[in-house]
PDB file of all heavy atoms in Angstrom:
ATOM      1  N   LYS A1333     193.424 -68.662  55.540  1.00  0.00           N
ATOM      2  CA  LYS A1333     194.024 -69.025  56.821  1.00  0.00           C
ATOM      3  C   LYS A1333     193.027 -69.629  57.757  1.00  0.00           C
ATOM      4  O   LYS A1333     193.429 -69.984  58.893  1.00  0.00           O
ATOM      5  CB  LYS A1333     194.699 -67.854  57.468  1.00  0.00           C
ATOM      6  CG  LYS A1333     195.855 -67.202  56.590  1.00  0.00           C
ATOM      7  CD  LYS A1333     196.653 -66.351  57.493  1.00  0.00           C
ATOM      8  CE  LYS A1333     195.944 -65.024  57.980  1.00  0.00           C
ATOM      9  NZ  LYS A1333     196.611 -64.277  58.914  1.00  0.00           N
ATOM     10  N   GLU A1334     191.760 -69.829  57.361  1.00  0.00           N
ATOM     11  CA  GLU A1334     190.780 -70.422  58.196  1.00  0.00           C
ATOM     12  C   GLU A1334     190.449 -71.812  57.866  1.00  0.00           C
ATOM     13  O   GLU A1334     190.195 -72.098  56.629  1.00  0.00           O
ATOM     14  CB  GLU A1334     189.514 -69.605  58.185  1.00  0.00           C
ATOM     15  CG  GLU A1334     188.397 -70.069  59.151  1.00  0.00           C
ATOM     16  CD  GLU A1334     187.142 -69.220  59.060  1.00  0.00           C
ATOM     17  OE1 GLU A1334     187.261 -68.076  58.576  1.00  0.00           O
ATOM     18  OE2 GLU A1334     186.127 -69.773  59.464  1.00  0.00           O
ATOM     19  N   LEU A1335     190.518 -72.771  58.762  1.00  0.00           N
ATOM     20  CA  LEU A1335     190.192 -74.155  58.560  1.00  0.00           C
ATOM     21  C   LEU A1335     188.746 -74.320  58.151  1.00  0.00           C
ATOM     22  O   LEU A1335     187.817 -73.968  58.961  1.00  0.00           O
ATOM     23  CB  LEU A1335     190.527 -74.978  59.774  1.00  0.00           C
ATOM     24  CG  LEU A1335     190.282 -76.520  59.601  1.00  0.00           C
ATOM     25  CD1 LEU A1335     191.263 -77.098  58.571  1.00  0.00           C
ATOM     26  CD2 LEU A1335     190.422 -77.159  60.986  1.00  0.00           C
ATOM     27  N   ILE A1336     188.454 -74.829  56.913  1.00  0.00           N
ATOM     28  CA  ILE A1336     187.052 -75.056  56.589  1.00  0.00           C
ATOM     29  C   ILE A1336     186.690 -76.501  56.407  1.00  0.00           C
ATOM     30  O   ILE A1336     185.475 -76.870  56.292  1.00  0.00           O
ATOM     31  CB  ILE A1336     186.746 -74.202  55.271  1.00  0.00           C
ATOM     32  CG1 ILE A1336     187.599 -74.652  54.140  1.00  0.00           C
ATOM     33  CG2 ILE A1336     186.795 -72.746  55.584  1.00  0.00           C
ATOM     34  CD1 ILE A1336     187.222 -73.947  52.756  1.00  0.00           C
ATOM     35  N   ILE A1337     187.635 -77.344  56.104  1.00  0.00           N
ATOM     36  CA  ILE A1337     187.364 -78.790  56.014  1.00  0.00           C
ATOM     37  C   ILE A1337     188.408 -79.515  56.885  1.00  0.00           C
ATOM     38  O   ILE A1337     189.607 -79.272  56.840  1.00  0.00           O
ATOM     39  CB  ILE A1337     187.499 -79.223  54.588  1.00  0.00           C
ATOM     40  CG1 ILE A1337     186.368 -78.625  53.689  1.00  0.00           C
ATOM     41  CG2 ILE A1337     187.411 -80.802  54.396  1.00  0.00           C
ATOM     42  CD1 ILE A1337     186.448 -78.973  52.225  1.00  0.00           C
ATOM     43  N   ASN A1338     187.845 -80.398  57.713  1.00  0.00           N
ATOM     44  CA  ASN A1338     188.670 -81.254  58.512  1.00  0.00           C
ATOM     45  C   ASN A1338     188.078 -82.667  58.481  1.00  0.00           C
ATOM     46  O   ASN A1338     187.160 -82.863  59.223  1.00  0.00           O
ATOM     47  CB  ASN A1338     188.782 -80.682  59.906  1.00  0.00           C
ATOM     48  CG  ASN A1338     189.726 -81.407  60.814  1.00  0.00           C
ATOM     49  OD1 ASN A1338     190.226 -82.447  60.487  1.00  0.00           O
ATOM     50  ND2 ASN A1338     189.963 -80.920  61.978  1.00  0.00           N
ATOM     51  N   GLU A1339     188.536 -83.479  57.566  1.00  0.00           N
ATOM     52  CA  GLU A1339     188.014 -84.736  57.459  1.00  0.00           C
ATOM     53  C   GLU A1339     188.395 -85.669  58.597  1.00  0.00           C
ATOM     54  O   GLU A1339     189.244 -85.289  59.368  1.00  0.00           O
ATOM     55  CB  GLU A1339     188.306 -85.419  56.085  1.00  0.00           C
ATOM     56  CG  GLU A1339     187.554 -84.672  54.932  1.00  0.00           C
ATOM     57  CD  GLU A1339     186.087 -84.930  55.134  1.00  0.00           C
ATOM     58  OE1 GLU A1339     185.527 -86.038  54.870  1.00  0.00           O
ATOM     59  OE2 GLU A1339     185.284 -83.941  55.500  1.00  0.00           O
ATOM     60  N   THR A1340     187.978 -86.931  58.540  1.00  0.00           N
ATOM     61  CA  THR A1340     188.287 -87.836  59.608  1.00  0.00           C
ATOM     62  C   THR A1340     189.828 -88.245  59.568  1.00  0.00           C
ATOM     63  O   THR A1340     190.206 -89.132  58.888  1.00  0.00           O
ATOM     64  CB  THR A1340     187.472 -89.157  59.504  1.00  0.00           C
ATOM     65  OG1 THR A1340     186.087 -88.760  59.361  1.00  0.00           O
ATOM     66  CG2 THR A1340     187.653 -90.055  60.689  1.00  0.00           C
ATOM     67  N   VAL A1341     190.540 -87.454  60.171  1.00  0.00           N
ATOM     68  CA  VAL A1341     192.014 -87.518  60.219  1.00  0.00           C
ATOM     69  C   VAL A1341     192.514 -87.617  61.714  1.00  0.00           C
ATOM     70  O   VAL A1341     191.969 -86.896  62.465  1.00  0.00           O
ATOM     71  CB  VAL A1341     192.723 -86.304  59.493  1.00  0.00           C
ATOM     72  CG1 VAL A1341     194.222 -86.478  59.564  1.00  0.00           C
ATOM     73  CG2 VAL A1341     192.204 -86.246  58.029  1.00  0.00           C
ATOM     74  N   PRO A1342     193.442 -88.500  62.002  1.00  0.00           N
ATOM     75  CA  PRO A1342     193.946 -88.584  63.425  1.00  0.00           C
ATOM     76  C   PRO A1342     194.388 -87.251  63.922  1.00  0.00           C
ATOM     77  O   PRO A1342     194.943 -86.451  63.105  1.00  0.00           O
ATOM     78  CB  PRO A1342     194.981 -89.627  63.370  1.00  0.00           C
ATOM     79  CG  PRO A1342     194.757 -90.481  62.133  1.00  0.00           C
ATOM     80  CD  PRO A1342     194.047 -89.592  61.126  1.00  0.00           C
ATOM     81  N   ASN A1343     194.257 -87.056  65.180  1.00  0.00           N
ATOM     82  CA  ASN A1343     194.737 -85.798  65.696  1.00  0.00           C
ATOM     83  C   ASN A1343     196.276 -85.567  65.690  1.00  0.00           C
ATOM     84  O   ASN A1343     196.769 -84.530  65.889  1.00  0.00           O
ATOM     85  CB  ASN A1343     194.424 -85.781  67.289  1.00  0.00           C
ATOM     86  CG  ASN A1343     192.902 -85.618  67.521  1.00  0.00           C
ATOM     87  OD1 ASN A1343     192.261 -85.103  66.680  1.00  0.00           O
ATOM     88  ND2 ASN A1343     192.452 -86.065  68.672  1.00  0.00           N
ATOM     89  N   ARG A1344     196.979 -86.674  65.347  1.00  0.00           N
ATOM     90  CA  ARG A1344     198.404 -86.549  65.068  1.00  0.00           C
ATOM     91  C   ARG A1344     198.728 -85.602  63.926  1.00  0.00           C
ATOM     92  O   ARG A1344     199.928 -85.165  63.735  1.00  0.00           O
ATOM     93  CB  ARG A1344     199.035 -87.929  64.844  1.00  0.00           C
ATOM     94  CG  ARG A1344     198.788 -88.865  65.995  1.00  0.00           C
ATOM     95  CD  ARG A1344     199.464 -90.177  65.735  1.00  0.00           C
ATOM     96  NE  ARG A1344     198.840 -90.978  64.629  1.00  0.00           N
ATOM     97  CZ  ARG A1344     199.323 -90.986  63.378  1.00  0.00           C
ATOM     98  NH1 ARG A1344     200.462 -90.446  63.094  1.00  0.00           N
ATOM     99  NH2 ARG A1344     198.741 -91.676  62.449  1.00  0.00           N
ATOM    100  N   PHE A1345     197.719 -85.470  63.031  1.00  0.00           N
ATOM    101  CA  PHE A1345     197.976 -84.560  61.886  1.00  0.00           C
ATOM    102  C   PHE A1345     197.433 -83.145  62.184  1.00  0.00           C
ATOM    103  O   PHE A1345     196.283 -82.989  62.653  1.00  0.00           O
ATOM    104  CB  PHE A1345     197.193 -85.088  60.726  1.00  0.00           C
ATOM    105  CG  PHE A1345     197.744 -86.343  60.104  1.00  0.00           C
ATOM    106  CD1 PHE A1345     197.503 -87.554  60.707  1.00  0.00           C
ATOM    107  CD2 PHE A1345     198.533 -86.242  58.941  1.00  0.00           C
ATOM    108  CE1 PHE A1345     198.079 -88.713  60.146  1.00  0.00           C
ATOM    109  CE2 PHE A1345     199.027 -87.488  58.362  1.00  0.00           C
ATOM    110  CZ  PHE A1345     198.772 -88.733  59.060  1.00  0.00           C
ATOM    111  N   SER A1346     198.317 -82.122  62.078  1.00  0.00           N
ATOM    112  CA  SER A1346     197.889 -80.811  62.388  1.00  0.00           C
ATOM    113  C   SER A1346     198.338 -79.848  61.268  1.00  0.00           C
ATOM    114  O   SER A1346     199.559 -79.640  61.104  1.00  0.00           O
ATOM    115  CB  SER A1346     198.437 -80.257  63.796  1.00  0.00           C
ATOM    116  OG  SER A1346     199.886 -80.456  63.863  1.00  0.00           O
ATOM    117  N   PRO A1347     197.437 -79.259  60.560  1.00  0.00           N
ATOM    118  CA  PRO A1347     197.727 -78.347  59.486  1.00  0.00           C
ATOM    119  C   PRO A1347     197.960 -76.943  60.132  1.00  0.00           C
ATOM    120  O   PRO A1347     197.368 -76.622  61.195  1.00  0.00           O
ATOM    121  CB  PRO A1347     196.509 -78.315  58.633  1.00  0.00           C
ATOM    122  CG  PRO A1347     195.390 -78.681  59.542  1.00  0.00           C
ATOM    123  CD  PRO A1347     195.953 -79.598  60.595  1.00  0.00           C
ATOM    124  N   LYS A1348     198.802 -76.106  59.466  1.00  0.00           N
ATOM    125  CA  LYS A1348     198.938 -74.801  59.950  1.00  0.00           C
ATOM    126  C   LYS A1348     199.125 -73.931  58.708  1.00  0.00           C
ATOM    127  O   LYS A1348     199.841 -74.193  57.831  1.00  0.00           O
ATOM    128  CB  LYS A1348     200.186 -74.626  60.802  1.00  0.00           C
ATOM    129  CG  LYS A1348     199.979 -75.039  62.199  1.00  0.00           C
ATOM    130  CD  LYS A1348     201.150 -74.642  63.111  1.00  0.00           C
ATOM    131  CE  LYS A1348     200.861 -74.916  64.585  1.00  0.00           C
ATOM    132  NZ  LYS A1348     200.500 -76.336  64.872  1.00  0.00           N
ATOM    133  N   SER A1349     198.345 -72.783  58.792  1.00  0.00           N
ATOM    134  CA  SER A1349     198.435 -71.846  57.624  1.00  0.00           C
ATOM    135  C   SER A1349     198.906 -70.456  58.112  1.00  0.00           C
ATOM    136  O   SER A1349     198.010 -69.663  58.567  1.00  0.00           O
ATOM    137  CB  SER A1349     197.038 -71.700  56.966  1.00  0.00           C
ATOM    138  OG  SER A1349     197.085 -70.860  55.842  1.00  0.00           O
ATOM    139  N   PRO A1350     200.158 -70.135  58.001  1.00  0.00           N
ATOM    140  CA  PRO A1350     200.677 -68.818  58.546  1.00  0.00           C
ATOM    141  C   PRO A1350     200.109 -67.654  57.684  1.00  0.00           C
ATOM    142  O   PRO A1350     200.015 -66.504  58.269  1.00  0.00           O
ATOM    143  CB  PRO A1350     202.159 -68.982  58.407  1.00  0.00           C
ATOM    144  CG  PRO A1350     202.410 -70.099  57.466  1.00  0.00           C
ATOM    145  CD  PRO A1350     201.232 -71.033  57.520  1.00  0.00           C
ATOM    146  N   ASP A1351     199.878 -67.886  56.414  1.00  0.00           N
ATOM    147  CA  ASP A1351     199.283 -66.885  55.621  1.00  0.00           C
ATOM    148  C   ASP A1351     198.618 -67.670  54.437  1.00  0.00           C
ATOM    149  O   ASP A1351     198.811 -68.884  54.312  1.00  0.00           O
ATOM    150  CB  ASP A1351     200.331 -65.907  55.051  1.00  0.00           C
ATOM    151  CG  ASP A1351     201.486 -66.625  54.355  1.00  0.00           C
ATOM    152  OD1 ASP A1351     201.232 -67.240  53.327  1.00  0.00           O
ATOM    153  OD2 ASP A1351     202.597 -66.431  54.902  1.00  0.00           O
ATOM    154  N   LYS A1352     197.863 -66.946  53.577  1.00  0.00           N
ATOM    155  CA  LYS A1352     197.075 -67.689  52.611  1.00  0.00           C
ATOM    156  C   LYS A1352     197.872 -68.317  51.503  1.00  0.00           C
ATOM    157  O   LYS A1352     197.301 -69.152  50.672  1.00  0.00           O
ATOM    158  CB  LYS A1352     195.933 -66.834  52.044  1.00  0.00           C
ATOM    159  CG  LYS A1352     196.294 -65.775  51.076  1.00  0.00           C
ATOM    160  CD  LYS A1352     195.072 -65.086  50.586  1.00  0.00           C
ATOM    161  CE  LYS A1352     195.376 -64.291  49.349  1.00  0.00           C
ATOM    162  NZ  LYS A1352     194.204 -63.702  48.723  1.00  0.00           N
ATOM    163  N   ALA A1353     199.162 -68.073  51.474  1.00  0.00           N
ATOM    164  CA  ALA A1353     200.023 -68.707  50.391  1.00  0.00           C
ATOM    165  C   ALA A1353     200.738 -69.882  50.996  1.00  0.00           C
ATOM    166  O   ALA A1353     201.394 -70.589  50.123  1.00  0.00           O
ATOM    167  CB  ALA A1353     201.041 -67.643  49.926  1.00  0.00           C
ATOM    168  N   HIS A1354     200.633 -70.104  52.217  1.00  0.00           N
ATOM    169  CA  HIS A1354     201.281 -71.283  52.735  1.00  0.00           C
ATOM    170  C   HIS A1354     200.317 -72.213  53.612  1.00  0.00           C
ATOM    171  O   HIS A1354     199.516 -71.729  54.306  1.00  0.00           O
ATOM    172  CB  HIS A1354     202.453 -70.816  53.691  1.00  0.00           C
ATOM    173  CG  HIS A1354     203.475 -70.125  53.032  1.00  0.00           C
ATOM    174  ND1 HIS A1354     203.460 -68.717  52.715  1.00  0.00           N
ATOM    175  CD2 HIS A1354     204.693 -70.566  52.495  1.00  0.00           C
ATOM    176  CE1 HIS A1354     204.552 -68.394  52.094  1.00  0.00           C
ATOM    177  NE2 HIS A1354     205.311 -69.442  51.922  1.00  0.00           N
ATOM    178  N   LEU A1355     200.512 -73.509  53.461  1.00  0.00           N
ATOM    179  CA  LEU A1355     199.817 -74.457  54.274  1.00  0.00           C
ATOM    180  C   LEU A1355     200.756 -75.616  54.568  1.00  0.00           C
ATOM    181  O   LEU A1355     201.117 -76.336  53.652  1.00  0.00           O
ATOM    182  CB  LEU A1355     198.525 -74.931  53.527  1.00  0.00           C
ATOM    183  CG  LEU A1355     197.709 -75.929  54.284  1.00  0.00           C
ATOM    184  CD1 LEU A1355     197.198 -75.353  55.656  1.00  0.00           C
ATOM    185  CD2 LEU A1355     196.465 -76.485  53.511  1.00  0.00           C
ATOM    186  N   ASN A1356     201.148 -75.754  55.868  1.00  0.00           N
ATOM    187  CA  ASN A1356     202.048 -76.761  56.268  1.00  0.00           C
ATOM    188  C   ASN A1356     201.318 -77.899  56.899  1.00  0.00           C
ATOM    189  O   ASN A1356     200.227 -77.683  57.511  1.00  0.00           O
ATOM    190  CB  ASN A1356     203.072 -76.196  57.151  1.00  0.00           C
ATOM    191  CG  ASN A1356     203.849 -74.989  56.483  1.00  0.00           C
ATOM    192  OD1 ASN A1356     204.150 -74.996  55.287  1.00  0.00           O
ATOM    193  ND2 ASN A1356     204.164 -73.996  57.284  1.00  0.00           N
ATOM    194  N   LEU A1357     201.857 -79.021  56.890  1.00  0.00           N
ATOM    195  CA  LEU A1357     201.208 -80.185  57.575  1.00  0.00           C
ATOM    196  C   LEU A1357     202.305 -80.860  58.517  1.00  0.00           C
ATOM    197  O   LEU A1357     203.368 -81.235  58.031  1.00  0.00           O
ATOM    198  CB  LEU A1357     200.867 -81.324  56.495  1.00  0.00           C
ATOM    199  CG  LEU A1357     200.092 -82.542  57.017  1.00  0.00           C
ATOM    200  CD1 LEU A1357     198.773 -82.156  57.622  1.00  0.00           C
ATOM    201  CD2 LEU A1357     199.912 -83.544  55.900  1.00  0.00           C
ATOM    202  N   HIS A1358     201.945 -80.907  59.810  1.00  0.00           N
ATOM    203  CA  HIS A1358     202.781 -81.437  60.824  1.00  0.00           C
ATOM    204  C   HIS A1358     202.136 -82.721  61.251  1.00  0.00           C
ATOM    205  O   HIS A1358     200.979 -82.870  61.543  1.00  0.00           O
ATOM    206  CB  HIS A1358     202.958 -80.520  61.993  1.00  0.00           C
ATOM    207  CG  HIS A1358     203.985 -80.970  62.965  1.00  0.00           C
ATOM    208  ND1 HIS A1358     205.305 -80.866  62.737  1.00  0.00           N
ATOM    209  CD2 HIS A1358     203.823 -81.605  64.197  1.00  0.00           C
ATOM    210  CE1 HIS A1358     206.011 -81.428  63.757  1.00  0.00           C
ATOM    211  NE2 HIS A1358     205.090 -81.846  64.619  1.00  0.00           N
ATOM    212  N   ILE A1359     203.064 -83.799  61.369  1.00  0.00           N
ATOM    213  CA  ILE A1359     202.553 -85.140  61.775  1.00  0.00           C
ATOM    214  C   ILE A1359     203.352 -85.557  62.944  1.00  0.00           C
ATOM    215  O   ILE A1359     204.595 -85.706  62.926  1.00  0.00           O
ATOM    216  CB  ILE A1359     202.652 -86.189  60.602  1.00  0.00           C
ATOM    217  CG1 ILE A1359     202.161 -85.584  59.273  1.00  0.00           C
ATOM    218  CG2 ILE A1359     201.870 -87.380  60.957  1.00  0.00           C
ATOM    219  CD1 ILE A1359     202.534 -86.451  58.066  1.00  0.00           C
ATOM    220  N   ASN A1360     202.663 -85.857  63.977  1.00  0.00           N
ATOM    221  CA  ASN A1360     203.313 -86.322  65.288  1.00  0.00           C
ATOM    222  C   ASN A1360     203.248 -87.907  65.367  1.00  0.00           C
ATOM    223  O   ASN A1360     202.355 -88.441  64.729  1.00  0.00           O
ATOM    224  CB  ASN A1360     202.563 -85.774  66.460  1.00  0.00           C
ATOM    225  CG  ASN A1360     202.853 -84.337  66.699  1.00  0.00           C
ATOM    226  OD1 ASN A1360     203.944 -83.812  66.384  1.00  0.00           O
ATOM    227  ND2 ASN A1360     201.808 -83.658  67.218  1.00  0.00           N
ATOM    228  N   SER A1361     204.166 -88.449  66.005  1.00  0.00           N
ATOM    229  CA  SER A1361     204.185 -89.882  66.370  1.00  0.00           C
ATOM    230  C   SER A1361     203.854 -90.697  65.111  1.00  0.00           C
ATOM    231  O   SER A1361     202.853 -91.434  65.097  1.00  0.00           O
ATOM    232  CB  SER A1361     203.161 -90.157  67.490  1.00  0.00           C
ATOM    233  OG  SER A1361     203.474 -89.426  68.591  1.00  0.00           O
ATOM    234  N   LEU A1362     204.618 -90.562  64.071  1.00  0.00           N
ATOM    235  CA  LEU A1362     204.428 -91.262  62.777  1.00  0.00           C
ATOM    236  C   LEU A1362     204.234 -92.788  62.935  1.00  0.00           C
ATOM    237  O   LEU A1362     204.908 -93.438  63.698  1.00  0.00           O
ATOM    238  CB  LEU A1362     205.557 -90.963  61.788  1.00  0.00           C
ATOM    239  CG  LEU A1362     205.370 -89.576  61.145  1.00  0.00           C
ATOM    240  CD1 LEU A1362     206.748 -89.075  60.667  1.00  0.00           C
ATOM    241  CD2 LEU A1362     204.340 -89.739  59.983  1.00  0.00           C
ATOM    242  N   GLU A1363     203.268 -93.291  62.156  1.00  0.00           N
ATOM    243  CA  GLU A1363     202.905 -94.722  62.151  1.00  0.00           C
ATOM    244  C   GLU A1363     203.128 -95.288  60.750  1.00  0.00           C
ATOM    245  O   GLU A1363     203.153 -94.531  59.751  1.00  0.00           O
ATOM    246  CB  GLU A1363     201.456 -94.892  62.535  1.00  0.00           C
ATOM    247  CG  GLU A1363     201.152 -94.466  63.976  1.00  0.00           C
ATOM    248  CD  GLU A1363     199.689 -94.561  64.346  1.00  0.00           C
ATOM    249  OE1 GLU A1363     198.930 -95.084  63.496  1.00  0.00           O
ATOM    250  OE2 GLU A1363     199.316 -94.188  65.476  1.00  0.00           O
ATOM    251  N   LEU A1364     203.268 -96.635  60.724  1.00  0.00           N
ATOM    252  CA  LEU A1364     203.489 -97.262  59.345  1.00  0.00           C
ATOM    253  C   LEU A1364     202.434 -96.851  58.383  1.00  0.00           C
ATOM    254  O   LEU A1364     202.655 -96.659  57.259  1.00  0.00           O
ATOM    255  CB  LEU A1364     203.598 -98.781  59.590  1.00  0.00           C
ATOM    256  CG  LEU A1364     204.747 -99.331  60.335  1.00  0.00           C
ATOM    257  CD1 LEU A1364     204.637-100.798  60.436  1.00  0.00           C
ATOM    258  CD2 LEU A1364     206.048 -98.943  59.637  1.00  0.00           C
ATOM    259  N   GLY A1365     201.206 -96.780  58.901  1.00  0.00           N
ATOM    260  CA  GLY A1365     200.046 -96.525  57.976  1.00  0.00           C
ATOM    261  C   GLY A1365     200.023 -95.091  57.455  1.00  0.00           C
ATOM    262  O   GLY A1365     199.195 -94.763  56.591  1.00  0.00           O
ATOM    263  N   ASP A1366     200.899 -94.194  57.897  1.00  0.00           N
ATOM    264  CA  ASP A1366     201.025 -92.834  57.399  1.00  0.00           C
ATOM    265  C   ASP A1366     201.771 -92.835  56.155  1.00  0.00           C
ATOM    266  O   ASP A1366     201.782 -91.774  55.435  1.00  0.00           O
ATOM    267  CB  ASP A1366     201.609 -91.965  58.483  1.00  0.00           C
ATOM    268  CG  ASP A1366     200.855 -91.864  59.732  1.00  0.00           C
ATOM    269  OD1 ASP A1366     199.618 -92.015  59.672  1.00  0.00           O
ATOM    270  OD2 ASP A1366     201.543 -91.596  60.773  1.00  0.00           O
ATOM    271  N   SER A1367     202.424 -93.944  55.758  1.00  0.00           N
ATOM    272  CA  SER A1367     203.141 -93.963  54.517  1.00  0.00           C
ATOM    273  C   SER A1367     202.254 -93.739  53.384  1.00  0.00           C
ATOM    274  O   SER A1367     201.263 -94.509  53.146  1.00  0.00           O
ATOM    275  CB  SER A1367     203.881 -95.256  54.414  1.00  0.00           C
ATOM    276  OG  SER A1367     204.864 -95.437  55.408  1.00  0.00           O
ATOM    277  N   ALA A1368     202.499 -92.764  52.524  1.00  0.00           N
ATOM    278  CA  ALA A1368     201.620 -92.384  51.436  1.00  0.00           C
ATOM    279  C   ALA A1368     202.275 -91.184  50.687  1.00  0.00           C
ATOM    280  O   ALA A1368     203.339 -90.672  51.064  1.00  0.00           O
ATOM    281  CB  ALA A1368     200.240 -91.931  51.932  1.00  0.00           C
ATOM    282  N   VAL A1369     201.661 -90.737  49.635  1.00  0.00           N
ATOM    283  CA  VAL A1369     202.034 -89.566  48.973  1.00  0.00           C
ATOM    284  C   VAL A1369     201.048 -88.496  49.373  1.00  0.00           C
ATOM    285  O   VAL A1369     199.814 -88.655  49.301  1.00  0.00           O
ATOM    286  CB  VAL A1369     202.028 -89.663  47.446  1.00  0.00           C
ATOM    287  CG1 VAL A1369     202.456 -88.368  46.802  1.00  0.00           C
ATOM    288  CG2 VAL A1369     202.953 -90.788  47.032  1.00  0.00           C
ATOM    289  N   TYR A1370     201.562 -87.342  49.833  1.00  0.00           N
ATOM    290  CA  TYR A1370     200.743 -86.257  50.342  1.00  0.00           C
ATOM    291  C   TYR A1370     200.782 -85.130  49.293  1.00  0.00           C
ATOM    292  O   TYR A1370     201.906 -84.711  48.945  1.00  0.00           O
ATOM    293  CB  TYR A1370     201.191 -85.772  51.708  1.00  0.00           C
ATOM    294  CG  TYR A1370     200.950 -86.745  52.782  1.00  0.00           C
ATOM    295  CD1 TYR A1370     201.793 -87.833  53.015  1.00  0.00           C
ATOM    296  CD2 TYR A1370     199.808 -86.734  53.548  1.00  0.00           C
ATOM    297  CE1 TYR A1370     201.553 -88.822  53.981  1.00  0.00           C
ATOM    298  CE2 TYR A1370     199.539 -87.705  54.507  1.00  0.00           C
ATOM    299  CZ  TYR A1370     200.424 -88.710  54.734  1.00  0.00           C
ATOM    300  OH  TYR A1370     200.176 -89.695  55.629  1.00  0.00           O
ATOM    301  N   PHE A1371     199.665 -84.758  48.840  1.00  0.00           N
ATOM    302  CA  PHE A1371     199.558 -83.647  47.854  1.00  0.00           C
ATOM    303  C   PHE A1371     198.937 -82.367  48.485  1.00  0.00           C
ATOM    304  O   PHE A1371     197.915 -82.431  49.170  1.00  0.00           O
ATOM    305  CB  PHE A1371     198.713 -84.062  46.676  1.00  0.00           C
ATOM    306  CG  PHE A1371     199.345 -85.092  45.791  1.00  0.00           C
ATOM    307  CD1 PHE A1371     198.963 -86.401  45.825  1.00  0.00           C
ATOM    308  CD2 PHE A1371     200.310 -84.662  44.798  1.00  0.00           C
ATOM    309  CE1 PHE A1371     199.589 -87.352  45.018  1.00  0.00           C
ATOM    310  CE2 PHE A1371     200.871 -85.569  44.034  1.00  0.00           C
ATOM    311  CZ  PHE A1371     200.521 -86.947  44.153  1.00  0.00           C
TER     312      PHE A1371
END
Side-chain angles (χ1 to χ4, degrees):
Chain A
K1333 302 192 297 175
E1334 181 182 340
L1335 181 65
I1336 57 171
I1337 292 175
N1338 185 352
E1339 286 298 286
T1340 308
V1341 177
N1343 291 337
R1344 300 181 294 103
F1345 289 77
S1346 53
K1348 279 192 173 55
S1349 182
D1351 55 62
K1352 74 174 192 177
H1354 296 85
L1355 180 60
N1356 303 323
L1357 182 64
H1358 188 75
I1359 315 171
N1360 289 326
S1361 304
L1362 279 156
E1363 299 177 358
L1364 293 177
D1366 297 333
S1367 295
V1369 180
Y1370 292 84
F1371 288 102

